[in-house]
């Protein structure tokens, strides 16, 4: 199993758009935490909580981290500490992943930044613990990032992380599913961005169905994937085309910086595709029958 393949197992549950109704009305969250978000059980920390020293940047990854984060490396370290402490206690990151935060979670997300143009607006679908959206905001202060996440405990963590890291001017948190973000409501316009990102959310066909409606025409879906990326492209390319996407492209990010490089699939939104139209019911002829009985007696 590669580092990226393990992502889906490392994060607690899918970070994306679960079926069924959203727990509350979708919208932007504000404040230190959301009403109704479950509080962490203090007993959890007795076993799972790590000290900051346990997530110190490994010496062998220091060069890569400096390359990817530059003078914002301290901010990245503060986020890594949040993931390994509060993120574990709240069930967003598996306890066994905490010592490998840098290798398996932070650096490969930061490597995606090379595929994002300067000053772009980014929507991160199924943000979960902020991967890759918060990492990109840390590595690239020129970006504006919206973290889209439907679950209360995750949005509560994201709100607190954004405030703790001092990123409130460039990062906002939207609680709701991708479909809800794309359609808008009476008091909120639809969301859209030049770049829509995701990590360990869903296979490419479903992912494109959720994400492409959020991408502006000519913008791109940039999805962090694992070793099966080429297979997904071959299997789901036609479905992506039906959704208005161009031919999916595979890219390696961080070549010569991290090993193995991060694998991403990119899809350009070439055209807007509306929802499928329902067929009108067939009209009955005048002399037809209804319910097995003749109309005239």
């Amino acid at each position: 199993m590669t580092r990226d393949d393990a992502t889906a197992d490392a994060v607690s549950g899918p970070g994306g758009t679960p079926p069924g109704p959203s727990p509350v009305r979708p919208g932007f969250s504000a404040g230190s935490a959301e009403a109704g978000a479950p509080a962490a059980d203090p007993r959890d920390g007795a076993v799972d909580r790590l000290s900051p020293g346990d997530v110190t940047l490994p010496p062998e990854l220091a060069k890569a981290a400096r390359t990817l984060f530059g003078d914002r490396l301290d901010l990245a370290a503060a986020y890594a500490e949040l993931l390994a402490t509060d993120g574990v206690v709240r069930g967003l990151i598996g306890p066994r992943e905490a010592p490998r935060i840098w290798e398996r979670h932070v650096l490969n997300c930061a490597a995606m930044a090379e595929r994002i143009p300067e000053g772009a607006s980014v929507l991160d679908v199924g943000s979960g613990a902020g991967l890759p959206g918060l990492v990109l905001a840390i590595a690239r202060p020129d970006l504006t990032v919206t973290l889209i996440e439907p679950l209360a405990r995750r949005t509560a963590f994201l709100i607190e992380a954004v405030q703790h890291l001092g990123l409130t001017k460039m990062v906002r948190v939207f609680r709701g599913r991708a479909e809800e973000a794309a359609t808008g409501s009476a008091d909120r316009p639809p969301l859209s961005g030049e770049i829509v990102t995701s990590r360990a959310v869903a296979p490419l066909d479903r992912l494109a169905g959720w994400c492409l409606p959020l991408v502006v025409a000519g913008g791109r879906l940039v999805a962090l994937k694992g070793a099966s990326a080429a297979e997904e492209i071959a299997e789901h390319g036609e479905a992506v085309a039906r959704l208005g996407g161009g031919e999916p492209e595979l890219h390696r990010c961080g070549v010569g910086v991290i090993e193995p490089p991060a694998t991403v699939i990119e899809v350009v939104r070439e055209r807007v595709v509306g929802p499928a139209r329902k067929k009108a019911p067939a009209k009955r002829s005048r002399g037809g029958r209804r319910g097995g009985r003749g109309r005239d007696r």
Side-chain angles (χ1 to χ4, degrees), residues 185-213:
S185 63
D187 56 356
R188 177 188 53 78
L191 300 185
S192 62
E194 297 160 282
I195 300 292
V196 174
T197 59
S198 74
R199 176 182 187 257
V201 170
L204 184 59
D205 55 344
R206 281 190 286 153
L207 187 65
W210 294 334
C211 294
L212 286 179

Side-chain angles (χ1 to χ4, degrees), residues 69 72-83 106 129-131 133-139 141 147 157-171:
F69 289 104
R72 292 169 73 83
L73 181 55
D74 287 346
L75 196 59
Y79 174 60
E81 181 183 327
L82 277 177
L83 286 180
V106 176
L131 301 165
L134 262 181
V135 175
L136 293 172
I138 292 168
L147 309 175
F157 173 84
L158 292 173
I159 293 164
E160 293 168 26
V162 169
Q163 293 178 340
H164 178 75
L165 298 170
L167 299 174
T168 55
K169 291 184 178 180
M170 61 180 296
V171 181

Side-chain angles (χ1 to χ4, degrees), residues 6 9-11 50 88 93-102 104-105:
D9 297 329
V11 179
L50 294 168
V88 170
I93 296 290
R96 290 179 297 177
E97 294 302 308
R100 301 178 287 185
I101 288 291
W102 287 96
R104 298 180 63 136
H105 300 282

Side-chain angles (χ1 to χ4, degrees), residues 94-148:
R96 290 179 297 177
E97 294 302 308
R100 301 178 287 185
I101 288 291
W102 287 96
E103 179 185 1
R104 298 180 63 136
H105 300 282
V106 176
L107 296 182
N108 58 348
C109 288
M112 295 175 64
E114 68 183 58
R115 303 301 308 172
I116 300 177
E118 185 174 357
S121 56
V122 178
L123 306 184
D124 185 34
V125 170
S127 196
L131 301 165
L134 262 181
V135 175
L136 293 172
I138 292 168
R140 292 280 303 276
D142 58 293
L143 304 176
T144 56
V145 179
T146 300
L147 309 175
I148 299 175

Side-chain angles (χ1 to χ4, degrees), residues 176-189:
R177 306 199 312 268
E179 301 96 315
E180 294 164 331
T183 56
S185 63
D187 56 356
R188 177 188 53 78

